[in-house]
Every structure is written in C-alpha cells, then in structure tokens.
Short mmCIF file of all heavy atoms in Angstrom, two decimals:
data_model
loop_
_atom_site.label_atom_id
_atom_site.label_comp_id
_atom_site.label_asym_id
_atom_site.label_seq_id
_atom_site.Cartn_x
_atom_site.Cartn_y
_atom_site.Cartn_z
N MET A 50 23.60 1.97 -16.59
CA MET A 50 22.38 2.44 -15.91
C MET A 50 21.51 3.22 -16.88
O MET A 50 22.01 4.12 -17.56
CB MET A 50 22.74 3.39 -14.76
CG MET A 50 22.98 2.73 -13.42
SD MET A 50 21.69 2.61 -12.24
CE MET A 50 21.00 4.16 -11.90
N PRO A 51 20.22 2.92 -16.96
CA PRO A 51 19.34 3.73 -17.81
C PRO A 51 19.16 5.11 -17.23
O PRO A 51 19.04 5.29 -16.02
CB PRO A 51 18.03 2.93 -17.81
CG PRO A 51 18.07 2.10 -16.58
CD PRO A 51 19.51 1.82 -16.31
N ASN A 52 19.14 6.07 -18.13
CA ASN A 52 18.95 7.45 -17.69
C ASN A 52 17.56 7.92 -18.03
O ASN A 52 16.95 7.44 -18.98
CB ASN A 52 19.97 8.35 -18.39
CG ASN A 52 21.34 8.23 -17.76
OD1 ASN A 52 21.44 8.03 -16.56
ND2 ASN A 52 22.36 8.33 -18.58
N PRO A 53 17.06 8.89 -17.31
CA PRO A 53 15.75 9.45 -17.64
C PRO A 53 15.80 10.15 -19.00
O PRO A 53 16.79 10.82 -19.32
CB PRO A 53 15.44 10.42 -16.50
CG PRO A 53 16.73 10.64 -15.82
CD PRO A 53 17.57 9.44 -16.05
N LYS A 54 14.77 9.96 -19.79
CA LYS A 54 14.76 10.50 -21.14
C LYS A 54 14.60 12.01 -21.15
O LYS A 54 15.19 12.71 -21.97
CB LYS A 54 13.62 9.86 -21.92
CG LYS A 54 13.75 9.97 -23.43
CD LYS A 54 12.73 9.09 -24.11
CE LYS A 54 13.02 9.01 -25.61
NZ LYS A 54 12.07 8.12 -26.28
N ARG A 55 13.75 12.50 -20.22
CA ARG A 55 13.50 13.92 -20.19
C ARG A 55 13.73 14.45 -18.77
O ARG A 55 13.54 13.73 -17.78
CB ARG A 55 12.04 14.22 -20.55
CG ARG A 55 11.69 13.90 -21.97
CD ARG A 55 11.40 15.17 -22.75
NE ARG A 55 11.08 14.89 -24.14
CZ ARG A 55 11.99 14.84 -25.10
NH1 ARG A 55 13.25 15.05 -24.84
NH2 ARG A 55 11.62 14.58 -26.35
N LYS A 56 14.08 15.71 -18.74
CA LYS A 56 14.20 16.37 -17.45
C LYS A 56 12.81 16.57 -16.86
O LYS A 56 11.88 16.98 -17.58
CB LYS A 56 14.85 17.74 -17.66
CG LYS A 56 14.94 18.58 -16.41
CD LYS A 56 15.53 19.94 -16.75
CE LYS A 56 15.61 20.80 -15.51
NZ LYS A 56 16.26 22.09 -15.81
N HIS A 57 12.66 16.26 -15.58
CA HIS A 57 11.37 16.52 -14.92
C HIS A 57 11.27 18.01 -14.60
O HIS A 57 12.28 18.65 -14.28
CB HIS A 57 11.26 15.70 -13.63
CG HIS A 57 11.03 14.25 -13.90
ND1 HIS A 57 10.95 13.32 -12.88
CD2 HIS A 57 10.87 13.56 -15.04
CE1 HIS A 57 10.74 12.14 -13.41
NE2 HIS A 57 10.69 12.24 -14.70
N THR A 58 10.05 18.49 -14.67
CA THR A 58 9.84 19.91 -14.38
C THR A 58 10.11 20.20 -12.91
O THR A 58 10.08 19.29 -12.07
CB THR A 58 8.41 20.33 -14.70
OG1 THR A 58 7.53 19.55 -13.91
CG2 THR A 58 8.10 20.11 -16.17
N ARG A 59 10.34 21.45 -12.60
CA ARG A 59 10.50 21.86 -11.20
C ARG A 59 9.30 21.44 -10.37
O ARG A 59 9.41 20.99 -9.23
CB ARG A 59 10.69 23.36 -11.09
CG ARG A 59 12.11 23.80 -11.30
CD ARG A 59 12.17 25.31 -11.37
NE ARG A 59 11.63 25.78 -12.66
CZ ARG A 59 11.49 27.06 -13.00
NH1 ARG A 59 11.85 27.99 -12.15
NH2 ARG A 59 11.00 27.40 -14.17
N SER A 60 8.12 21.64 -10.99
CA SER A 60 6.88 21.30 -10.30
C SER A 60 6.85 19.82 -9.94
O SER A 60 6.56 19.44 -8.80
CB SER A 60 5.70 21.67 -11.19
OG SER A 60 4.57 20.98 -10.81
N ARG A 61 7.17 18.98 -10.92
CA ARG A 61 7.13 17.54 -10.67
C ARG A 61 8.18 17.13 -9.65
O ARG A 61 7.92 16.32 -8.74
CB ARG A 61 7.37 16.82 -11.99
CG ARG A 61 7.10 15.35 -11.90
CD ARG A 61 7.07 14.71 -13.25
NE ARG A 61 7.17 13.28 -13.10
CZ ARG A 61 7.15 12.41 -14.08
NH1 ARG A 61 7.05 12.83 -15.33
NH2 ARG A 61 7.25 11.13 -13.85
N ARG A 62 9.35 17.70 -9.76
CA ARG A 62 10.42 17.40 -8.81
C ARG A 62 10.00 17.80 -7.38
O ARG A 62 10.16 17.04 -6.44
CB ARG A 62 11.68 18.17 -9.23
CG ARG A 62 12.87 17.97 -8.32
CD ARG A 62 13.85 19.11 -8.47
NE ARG A 62 13.27 20.37 -8.00
CZ ARG A 62 13.77 21.58 -8.28
NH1 ARG A 62 14.82 21.70 -9.07
NH2 ARG A 62 13.20 22.66 -7.81
N ASP A 63 9.45 19.00 -7.26
CA ASP A 63 9.11 19.49 -5.92
C ASP A 63 7.93 18.73 -5.34
O ASP A 63 7.87 18.54 -4.12
CB ASP A 63 8.80 20.99 -5.99
CG ASP A 63 10.04 21.79 -6.35
OD1 ASP A 63 11.15 21.22 -6.25
OD2 ASP A 63 9.91 22.96 -6.73
N LYS A 64 7.01 18.29 -6.20
CA LYS A 64 5.92 17.48 -5.69
C LYS A 64 6.45 16.17 -5.11
O LYS A 64 6.04 15.71 -4.06
CB LYS A 64 4.91 17.17 -6.80
CG LYS A 64 3.73 18.12 -6.84
CD LYS A 64 2.65 17.62 -7.75
CE LYS A 64 2.91 17.99 -9.20
NZ LYS A 64 1.85 17.59 -10.10
N ARG A 65 7.38 15.57 -5.84
CA ARG A 65 7.97 14.32 -5.36
C ARG A 65 8.67 14.54 -4.00
O ARG A 65 8.52 13.77 -3.08
CB ARG A 65 8.98 13.79 -6.38
CG ARG A 65 9.57 12.46 -5.98
CD ARG A 65 10.69 12.03 -6.91
NE ARG A 65 11.86 12.89 -6.79
CZ ARG A 65 12.45 13.52 -7.80
NH1 ARG A 65 11.98 13.40 -9.02
NH2 ARG A 65 13.51 14.27 -7.59
N ARG A 66 9.40 15.63 -3.92
CA ARG A 66 10.15 15.87 -2.68
C ARG A 66 9.26 16.22 -1.50
O ARG A 66 9.65 16.05 -0.36
CB ARG A 66 11.16 17.00 -2.91
CG ARG A 66 12.30 16.55 -3.79
CD ARG A 66 13.29 17.66 -3.98
NE ARG A 66 14.35 17.24 -4.88
CZ ARG A 66 15.31 18.04 -5.31
NH1 ARG A 66 15.32 19.29 -4.95
NH2 ARG A 66 16.23 17.58 -6.11
N SER A 67 8.07 16.72 -1.78
CA SER A 67 7.20 17.13 -0.68
C SER A 67 6.31 15.98 -0.20
O SER A 67 5.54 16.16 0.73
CB SER A 67 6.32 18.30 -1.12
OG SER A 67 5.40 17.85 -2.09
N GLU A 68 6.43 14.82 -0.83
CA GLU A 68 5.53 13.72 -0.47
C GLU A 68 5.75 13.24 0.97
O GLU A 68 4.82 12.90 1.66
CB GLU A 68 5.71 12.54 -1.42
CG GLU A 68 4.95 12.71 -2.71
CD GLU A 68 5.32 11.65 -3.73
OE1 GLU A 68 6.18 10.80 -3.42
OE2 GLU A 68 4.75 11.68 -4.81
N ASN A 69 6.99 13.18 1.37
CA ASN A 69 7.29 12.50 2.63
C ASN A 69 7.68 13.44 3.75
O ASN A 69 8.37 13.05 4.67
CB ASN A 69 8.44 11.49 2.40
CG ASN A 69 7.99 10.40 1.47
OD1 ASN A 69 6.87 9.93 1.55
ND2 ASN A 69 8.86 9.99 0.56
N TRP A 70 7.25 14.69 3.65
CA TRP A 70 7.70 15.63 4.68
C TRP A 70 6.87 15.54 5.94
O TRP A 70 7.30 15.99 7.00
CB TRP A 70 7.66 17.06 4.15
CG TRP A 70 6.29 17.62 4.00
CD1 TRP A 70 5.45 17.46 2.95
CD2 TRP A 70 5.58 18.42 4.95
NE1 TRP A 70 4.27 18.10 3.18
CE2 TRP A 70 4.31 18.69 4.39
CE3 TRP A 70 5.89 18.92 6.21
CZ2 TRP A 70 3.36 19.44 5.09
CZ3 TRP A 70 4.94 19.67 6.88
CH2 TRP A 70 3.70 19.92 6.31
N LYS A 71 5.67 14.94 5.85
CA LYS A 71 4.83 14.87 7.04
C LYS A 71 5.31 13.74 7.93
O LYS A 71 5.05 12.57 7.67
CB LYS A 71 3.37 14.63 6.65
CG LYS A 71 2.73 15.79 5.94
CD LYS A 71 1.34 15.40 5.49
CE LYS A 71 0.76 16.47 4.57
NZ LYS A 71 -0.46 15.99 3.91
N VAL A 72 6.04 14.10 8.96
CA VAL A 72 6.59 13.10 9.86
C VAL A 72 5.79 13.16 11.15
O VAL A 72 5.75 14.19 11.83
CB VAL A 72 8.08 13.38 10.14
CG1 VAL A 72 8.63 12.34 11.07
CG2 VAL A 72 8.84 13.38 8.82
N ALA A 73 5.16 12.06 11.48
CA ALA A 73 4.42 12.02 12.74
C ALA A 73 5.40 11.93 13.89
O ALA A 73 6.44 11.27 13.79
CB ALA A 73 3.49 10.82 12.74
N LEU A 74 5.08 12.62 14.97
CA LEU A 74 5.94 12.55 16.13
C LEU A 74 5.91 11.14 16.70
O LEU A 74 4.83 10.58 16.91
CB LEU A 74 5.46 13.54 17.20
CG LEU A 74 5.74 15.01 16.92
CD1 LEU A 74 5.03 15.88 17.94
CD2 LEU A 74 7.22 15.28 16.95
N PRO A 75 7.05 10.55 16.92
CA PRO A 75 7.05 9.19 17.42
C PRO A 75 6.68 9.12 18.89
O PRO A 75 6.87 10.10 19.64
CB PRO A 75 8.50 8.74 17.20
CG PRO A 75 9.27 10.00 17.25
CD PRO A 75 8.39 11.08 16.68
N GLY A 76 6.16 8.01 19.28
CA GLY A 76 5.91 7.79 20.69
C GLY A 76 4.71 8.52 21.23
O GLY A 76 4.66 8.83 22.42
N GLN A 77 3.74 8.83 20.36
CA GLN A 77 2.55 9.50 20.86
C GLN A 77 1.37 8.55 20.80
O GLN A 77 1.26 7.73 19.91
CB GLN A 77 2.26 10.73 20.01
CG GLN A 77 3.27 11.82 20.23
CD GLN A 77 2.68 13.18 20.05
OE1 GLN A 77 1.89 13.41 19.15
NE2 GLN A 77 3.07 14.12 20.90
N ALA A 78 0.51 8.67 21.76
CA ALA A 78 -0.67 7.83 21.83
C ALA A 78 -1.84 8.68 22.30
O ALA A 78 -1.65 9.83 22.70
CB ALA A 78 -0.45 6.67 22.79
N ILE A 79 -3.03 8.10 22.22
CA ILE A 79 -4.23 8.80 22.68
C ILE A 79 -4.77 8.07 23.90
O ILE A 79 -4.92 6.85 23.89
CB ILE A 79 -5.27 8.88 21.55
CG1 ILE A 79 -4.74 9.77 20.42
CG2 ILE A 79 -6.58 9.40 22.07
CD1 ILE A 79 -5.60 9.74 19.19
N CYS A 80 -5.03 8.84 24.95
CA CYS A 80 -5.54 8.25 26.19
C CYS A 80 -6.90 7.62 25.94
O CYS A 80 -7.77 8.23 25.32
CB CYS A 80 -5.65 9.34 27.25
SG CYS A 80 -6.39 8.78 28.77
N LYS A 81 -7.07 6.39 26.41
CA LYS A 81 -8.36 5.71 26.19
C LYS A 81 -9.45 6.30 27.07
O LYS A 81 -10.63 6.13 26.80
CB LYS A 81 -8.21 4.21 26.49
CG LYS A 81 -7.41 3.48 25.44
CD LYS A 81 -7.31 2.00 25.75
CE LYS A 81 -6.47 1.30 24.69
NZ LYS A 81 -6.29 -0.12 25.03
N ASN A 82 -9.04 6.93 28.14
CA ASN A 82 -10.03 7.46 29.09
C ASN A 82 -10.51 8.85 28.68
O ASN A 82 -11.71 9.09 28.64
CB ASN A 82 -9.41 7.49 30.49
CG ASN A 82 -10.46 7.61 31.56
OD1 ASN A 82 -11.57 7.12 31.40
ND2 ASN A 82 -10.12 8.27 32.63
N CYS A 83 -9.58 9.74 28.37
CA CYS A 83 -9.98 11.12 28.11
C CYS A 83 -9.60 11.60 26.71
O CYS A 83 -9.79 12.76 26.38
CB CYS A 83 -9.39 12.05 29.16
SG CYS A 83 -7.60 12.17 29.08
N GLN A 84 -9.04 10.71 25.87
CA GLN A 84 -8.71 11.02 24.47
C GLN A 84 -7.70 12.15 24.34
O GLN A 84 -7.67 12.82 23.31
CB GLN A 84 -9.97 11.34 23.66
CG GLN A 84 -10.71 10.11 23.19
CD GLN A 84 -11.54 9.49 24.28
OE1 GLN A 84 -12.18 10.21 25.01
NE2 GLN A 84 -11.53 8.17 24.40
N ALA A 85 -6.90 12.37 25.36
CA ALA A 85 -5.85 13.38 25.24
C ALA A 85 -4.63 12.75 24.58
O ALA A 85 -4.41 11.55 24.68
CB ALA A 85 -5.49 13.92 26.61
N VAL A 86 -3.84 13.57 23.91
CA VAL A 86 -2.61 13.07 23.31
C VAL A 86 -1.56 12.96 24.41
O VAL A 86 -1.25 13.94 25.08
CB VAL A 86 -2.12 14.02 22.19
CG1 VAL A 86 -0.81 13.52 21.63
CG2 VAL A 86 -3.17 14.12 21.11
N ILE A 87 -1.05 11.76 24.58
CA ILE A 87 -0.10 11.52 25.66
C ILE A 87 1.13 10.83 25.09
O ILE A 87 1.14 10.39 23.95
CB ILE A 87 -0.72 10.63 26.76
CG1 ILE A 87 -1.21 9.32 26.16
CG2 ILE A 87 -1.83 11.36 27.49
CD1 ILE A 87 -1.66 8.31 27.16
N ARG A 88 2.17 10.73 25.88
CA ARG A 88 3.33 9.93 25.50
C ARG A 88 2.94 8.46 25.60
O ARG A 88 2.26 8.06 26.55
CB ARG A 88 4.50 10.23 26.41
CG ARG A 88 5.13 11.58 26.15
CD ARG A 88 6.16 11.89 27.20
NE ARG A 88 7.23 10.91 27.18
CZ ARG A 88 8.11 10.71 28.17
NH1 ARG A 88 8.03 11.44 29.25
NH2 ARG A 88 9.04 9.81 28.08
N ALA A 89 3.39 7.68 24.66
CA ALA A 89 3.04 6.26 24.66
C ALA A 89 3.67 5.56 25.86
O ALA A 89 4.76 5.92 26.32
CB ALA A 89 3.53 5.61 23.37
N ASN A 90 2.97 4.58 26.37
CA ASN A 90 3.44 3.75 27.47
C ASN A 90 3.67 4.53 28.76
O ASN A 90 4.55 4.18 29.56
CB ASN A 90 4.74 2.99 27.10
CG ASN A 90 4.58 2.25 25.78
OD1 ASN A 90 5.22 2.62 24.79
ND2 ASN A 90 3.73 1.26 25.75
N THR A 91 2.94 5.61 28.94
CA THR A 91 3.03 6.34 30.18
C THR A 91 1.62 6.60 30.72
O THR A 91 0.65 6.51 29.99
CB THR A 91 3.72 7.71 30.00
OG1 THR A 91 3.00 8.44 29.02
CG2 THR A 91 5.15 7.54 29.58
N ILE A 92 1.57 6.92 31.99
CA ILE A 92 0.29 7.29 32.60
C ILE A 92 -0.15 8.63 32.04
O ILE A 92 0.66 9.53 31.85
CB ILE A 92 0.45 7.36 34.14
CG1 ILE A 92 0.64 5.95 34.70
CG2 ILE A 92 -0.74 8.02 34.77
CD1 ILE A 92 0.92 5.93 36.16
N CYS A 93 -1.45 8.73 31.77
CA CYS A 93 -1.98 10.00 31.25
C CYS A 93 -1.81 11.09 32.30
O CYS A 93 -2.16 10.89 33.46
CB CYS A 93 -3.45 9.83 30.88
SG CYS A 93 -4.25 11.35 30.39
N GLN A 94 -1.29 12.24 31.90
CA GLN A 94 -1.06 13.32 32.83
C GLN A 94 -2.36 14.02 33.23
O GLN A 94 -2.45 14.64 34.27
CB GLN A 94 -0.11 14.36 32.23
CG GLN A 94 1.29 13.84 31.98
CD GLN A 94 2.01 13.47 33.25
OE1 GLN A 94 1.96 14.22 34.23
NE2 GLN A 94 2.65 12.32 33.28
N ASP A 95 -3.38 13.90 32.40
CA ASP A 95 -4.64 14.60 32.68
C ASP A 95 -5.52 13.82 33.63
O ASP A 95 -6.05 14.37 34.59
CB ASP A 95 -5.39 14.87 31.38
CG ASP A 95 -4.71 15.94 30.54
OD1 ASP A 95 -3.99 16.75 31.14
OD2 ASP A 95 -4.88 15.96 29.33
N CYS A 96 -5.71 12.51 33.36
CA CYS A 96 -6.66 11.74 34.17
C CYS A 96 -5.98 10.63 34.96
O CYS A 96 -6.64 9.95 35.74
CB CYS A 96 -7.77 11.18 33.28
SG CYS A 96 -7.20 9.96 32.10
N GLY A 97 -4.68 10.42 34.76
CA GLY A 97 -3.97 9.44 35.57
C GLY A 97 -4.28 8.00 35.23
O GLY A 97 -3.99 7.11 36.04
N SER A 98 -4.80 7.74 34.06
CA SER A 98 -5.14 6.36 33.72
C SER A 98 -4.07 5.76 32.82
O SER A 98 -3.35 6.48 32.12
CB SER A 98 -6.48 6.31 33.01
OG SER A 98 -6.38 6.84 31.72
N TYR A 99 -3.95 4.45 32.87
CA TYR A 99 -3.03 3.73 32.01
C TYR A 99 -3.71 2.47 31.54
O TYR A 99 -4.19 1.68 32.34
CB TYR A 99 -1.74 3.42 32.78
CG TYR A 99 -0.71 2.75 31.93
CD1 TYR A 99 -0.09 3.43 30.89
CD2 TYR A 99 -0.34 1.43 32.15
CE1 TYR A 99 0.86 2.82 30.10
CE2 TYR A 99 0.61 0.82 31.36
CZ TYR A 99 1.22 1.52 30.34
OH TYR A 99 2.16 0.92 29.55
N LYS A 100 -3.80 2.31 30.24
CA LYS A 100 -4.49 1.18 29.61
C LYS A 100 -5.91 1.04 30.13
O LYS A 100 -6.37 -0.05 30.47
CB LYS A 100 -3.71 -0.12 29.83
CG LYS A 100 -2.44 -0.19 29.00
CD LYS A 100 -1.79 -1.54 29.11
CE LYS A 100 -0.57 -1.59 28.18
NZ LYS A 100 0.13 -2.88 28.29
N GLY A 101 -6.59 2.15 30.28
CA GLY A 101 -8.00 2.14 30.65
C GLY A 101 -8.27 2.07 32.13
O GLY A 101 -9.41 2.19 32.56
N LYS A 102 -7.23 1.84 32.93
CA LYS A 102 -7.44 1.79 34.36
C LYS A 102 -6.86 3.04 35.01
O LYS A 102 -5.80 3.52 34.59
CB LYS A 102 -6.74 0.56 34.98
CG LYS A 102 -7.34 -0.75 34.54
CD LYS A 102 -6.54 -1.89 35.14
CE LYS A 102 -7.04 -3.23 34.65
NZ LYS A 102 -6.18 -4.33 35.14
N VAL A 103 -7.50 3.53 36.04
CA VAL A 103 -6.97 4.69 36.75
C VAL A 103 -5.91 4.20 37.73
O VAL A 103 -6.21 3.50 38.69
CB VAL A 103 -8.09 5.45 37.49
CG1 VAL A 103 -7.49 6.61 38.28
CG2 VAL A 103 -9.10 6.00 36.48
N GLU A 104 -4.67 4.53 37.45
CA GLU A 104 -3.56 4.04 38.26
C GLU A 104 -3.18 5.06 39.32
O GLU A 104 -2.73 4.72 40.39
CB GLU A 104 -2.34 3.79 37.36
CG GLU A 104 -2.56 2.73 36.31
CD GLU A 104 -2.45 1.33 36.88
OE1 GLU A 104 -2.00 1.21 38.02
OE2 GLU A 104 -2.82 0.38 36.18
N LYS A 105 -3.32 6.31 38.97
CA LYS A 105 -2.78 7.35 39.85
C LYS A 105 -3.72 8.54 39.79
O LYS A 105 -4.26 8.84 38.72
CB LYS A 105 -1.39 7.74 39.33
CG LYS A 105 -0.61 8.67 40.22
CD LYS A 105 0.73 8.94 39.55
CE LYS A 105 1.53 9.96 40.30
NZ LYS A 105 2.77 10.31 39.61
N ALA A 106 -3.89 9.17 40.92
CA ALA A 106 -4.76 10.35 40.93
C ALA A 106 -4.14 11.44 40.06
O ALA A 106 -2.93 11.64 40.12
CB ALA A 106 -4.95 10.85 42.35
N PRO A 107 -4.93 12.12 39.25
CA PRO A 107 -4.37 13.16 38.41
C PRO A 107 -3.81 14.31 39.23
O PRO A 107 -4.27 14.59 40.34
CB PRO A 107 -5.56 13.61 37.55
CG PRO A 107 -6.75 13.20 38.31
CD PRO A 107 -6.37 11.97 39.06
N LYS A 108 -2.83 14.96 38.65
CA LYS A 108 -2.22 16.11 39.33
C LYS A 108 -3.23 17.25 39.39
O LYS A 108 -3.90 17.55 38.41
CB LYS A 108 -0.98 16.57 38.57
CG LYS A 108 0.19 15.63 38.69
CD LYS A 108 1.37 16.16 37.92
CE LYS A 108 2.54 15.20 38.03
NZ LYS A 108 3.69 15.65 37.23
N VAL A 109 -3.30 17.85 40.57
CA VAL A 109 -4.19 19.01 40.72
C VAL A 109 -3.46 20.22 40.17
O VAL A 109 -2.35 20.56 40.61
CB VAL A 109 -4.55 19.22 42.21
CG1 VAL A 109 -5.43 20.47 42.34
CG2 VAL A 109 -5.26 17.99 42.74
N LYS A 110 -4.08 20.82 39.19
CA LYS A 110 -3.42 21.96 38.54
C LYS A 110 -3.57 23.20 39.41
O LYS A 110 -4.68 23.61 39.75
CB LYS A 110 -4.03 22.20 37.17
CG LYS A 110 -3.65 21.13 36.16
CD LYS A 110 -4.26 21.44 34.81
CE LYS A 110 -3.91 20.34 33.82
NZ LYS A 110 -4.56 20.57 32.51
N THR A 111 -2.46 23.77 39.76
CA THR A 111 -2.49 25.05 40.49
C THR A 111 -2.41 26.16 39.45
O THR A 111 -1.60 26.11 38.54
CB THR A 111 -1.32 25.15 41.47
OG1 THR A 111 -0.11 24.94 40.74
CG2 THR A 111 -1.44 24.13 42.57
N ASP A 112 -3.26 27.12 39.60
CA ASP A 112 -3.33 28.18 38.61
C ASP A 112 -2.37 29.31 38.96
O ASP A 112 -2.75 30.45 39.18
CB ASP A 112 -4.77 28.72 38.51
CG ASP A 112 -5.70 27.64 37.99
OD1 ASP A 112 -5.22 26.79 37.22
OD2 ASP A 112 -6.89 27.64 38.36
N LYS A 113 -1.08 28.94 38.99
CA LYS A 113 -0.08 29.95 39.32
C LYS A 113 0.02 30.98 38.21
O LYS A 113 0.27 32.15 38.44
CB LYS A 113 1.27 29.29 39.56
CG LYS A 113 1.35 28.58 40.89
CD LYS A 113 2.73 27.98 41.11
CE LYS A 113 2.80 27.28 42.46
NZ LYS A 113 4.11 26.62 42.68
N SER A 114 -0.14 30.51 36.97
CA SER A 114 0.00 31.44 35.85
C SER A 114 -1.08 32.52 35.91
O SER A 114 -0.81 33.69 35.66
CB SER A 114 -0.10 30.68 34.53
OG SER A 114 -1.33 29.99 34.46
N GLU A 115 -2.28 32.12 36.32
CA GLU A 115 -3.36 33.11 36.42
C GLU A 115 -3.09 34.10 37.56
O GLU A 115 -3.35 35.27 37.46
CB GLU A 115 -4.70 32.41 36.64
CG GLU A 115 -5.14 31.64 35.41
CD GLU A 115 -6.49 30.96 35.64
OE1 GLU A 115 -7.09 31.19 36.70
OE2 GLU A 115 -6.90 30.18 34.77
N GLU A 116 -2.55 33.56 38.68
CA GLU A 116 -2.25 34.44 39.82
C GLU A 116 -1.20 35.48 39.42
O GLU A 116 -1.30 36.64 39.79
CB GLU A 116 -1.73 33.60 40.99
CG GLU A 116 -2.83 32.76 41.63
CD GLU A 116 -2.28 31.82 42.68
OE1 GLU A 116 -1.07 31.90 42.98
OE2 GLU A 116 -3.05 31.00 43.18
N ASN A 117 -0.20 35.03 38.67
CA ASN A 117 0.85 35.96 38.25
C ASN A 117 0.28 37.05 37.34
O ASN A 117 0.68 38.20 37.43
CB ASN A 117 1.96 35.20 37.51
CG ASN A 117 2.75 34.34 38.48
OD1 ASN A 117 2.76 34.59 39.68
ND2 ASN A 117 3.38 33.30 37.96
N GLN A 118 -0.68 36.68 36.52
CA GLN A 118 -1.26 37.67 35.62
C GLN A 118 -2.07 38.70 36.40
O GLN A 118 -2.09 39.88 36.05
CB GLN A 118 -2.16 36.97 34.58
CG GLN A 118 -1.35 36.20 33.56
CD GLN A 118 -2.24 35.41 32.61
OE1 GLN A 118 -3.43 35.35 32.81
NE2 GLN A 118 -1.64 34.82 31.61
N GLU A 119 -2.71 38.24 37.49
CA GLU A 119 -3.49 39.18 38.28
C GLU A 119 -2.60 40.20 38.98
O GLU A 119 -2.99 41.35 39.18
CB GLU A 119 -4.34 38.41 39.30
CG GLU A 119 -5.51 37.66 38.63
CD GLU A 119 -6.23 36.76 39.62
OE1 GLU A 119 -5.89 36.76 40.81
OE2 GLU A 119 -7.14 36.04 39.17
N GLN A 120 -1.41 39.75 39.41
CA GLN A 120 -0.52 40.65 40.12
C GLN A 120 -0.02 41.77 39.22
O GLN A 120 0.23 42.87 39.66
CB GLN A 120 0.67 39.87 40.68
CG GLN A 120 0.27 39.00 41.87
CD GLN A 120 1.40 38.10 42.30
OE1 GLN A 120 2.45 38.10 41.68
NE2 GLN A 120 1.17 37.32 43.36
N LYS A 121 0.12 41.46 37.94
CA LYS A 121 0.59 42.49 37.00
C LYS A 121 -0.57 43.42 36.72
O LYS A 121 -0.63 44.54 36.93
CB LYS A 121 1.04 41.85 35.68
CG LYS A 121 2.32 41.06 35.83
CD LYS A 121 2.64 40.33 34.52
CE LYS A 121 3.83 39.40 34.66
NZ LYS A 121 4.04 38.62 33.47
ZN1 ZN B 27 -6.42 10.59 30.17
#
C-alpha cells in the first residue's frame, strides 16, 4: 500500500473531518400550501393540507400556555 509522503497538518486534517458533519434531518419536507417544515408524507399540522389539497381541517390552537402564564 502506498503511504502518504508527508504528515498532513492539524488544520488540513480537521478541515477534512469537518466536511461531512452537516447532516440534514431525514424525512423532512416543506408544505406546498403554507411552506412550513413538516414531516414528509404526512398532513401538514398547520394548514391540514397534503400534496396541495386540504384534507383535514387544521387543529385549532388553544392558548393554554398563555393562560398559564397569566395565572402566575
Ligand atoms: Zn401547511
């Protein structure tokens, strides 16, 4: 096996190792209706659309978190 003639610098080694660290989260898609980041192959949680069609009414968000903050 041929060996490398010179030792690579720490800088060069670390640059090489840092090339592939950006890993995209698998299974993510962008909703065609509202451009939100959603799980792939699922109905959008924000607008209830799937593949451009509205399949299901979106969930009505209850502002329980805000109510809890007011009580404190
Ligand atoms: Zn959507």
Side-chain angles (χ1 to χ4, degrees):
M50 270 265 306
N52 283 326
K54 199 169 190 178
R55 293 248 179 269
K56 175 183 179 177
H57 287 178
T58 60
R59 275 172 287 177
S60 159
R61 190 168 165 179
R62 179 202 66 196
D63 294 345
K64 264 192 276 183
R65 183 187 68 233
R66 288 181 183 174
S67 69
E68 278 171 359
N69 295 320
W70 72 276
K71 291 175 190 168
V72 180
L74 286 172
Q77 290 210 320
I79 293 172
C80 175
K81 288 181 181 176
N82 197 32
C83 67
Q84 279 79 42
V86 177
I87 56 172
R88 287 173 61 197
N90 309 112
T91 57
I92 290 175
C93 174
Q94 295 295 316
D95 289 336
C96 66
S98 71
Y99 183 68
K100 288 187 176 178
K102 293 177 184 174
V103 177
E104 298 281 349
K105 187 180 175 184
K108 288 180 181 177
V109 178
K110 288 181 181 177
T111 55
D112 295 330
K113 285 182 179 177
S114 58
E115 291 180 6
E116 288 174 5
N117 290 337
Q118 288 175 353
E119 288 173 3
Q120 287 172 358
K121 289 174 187 174

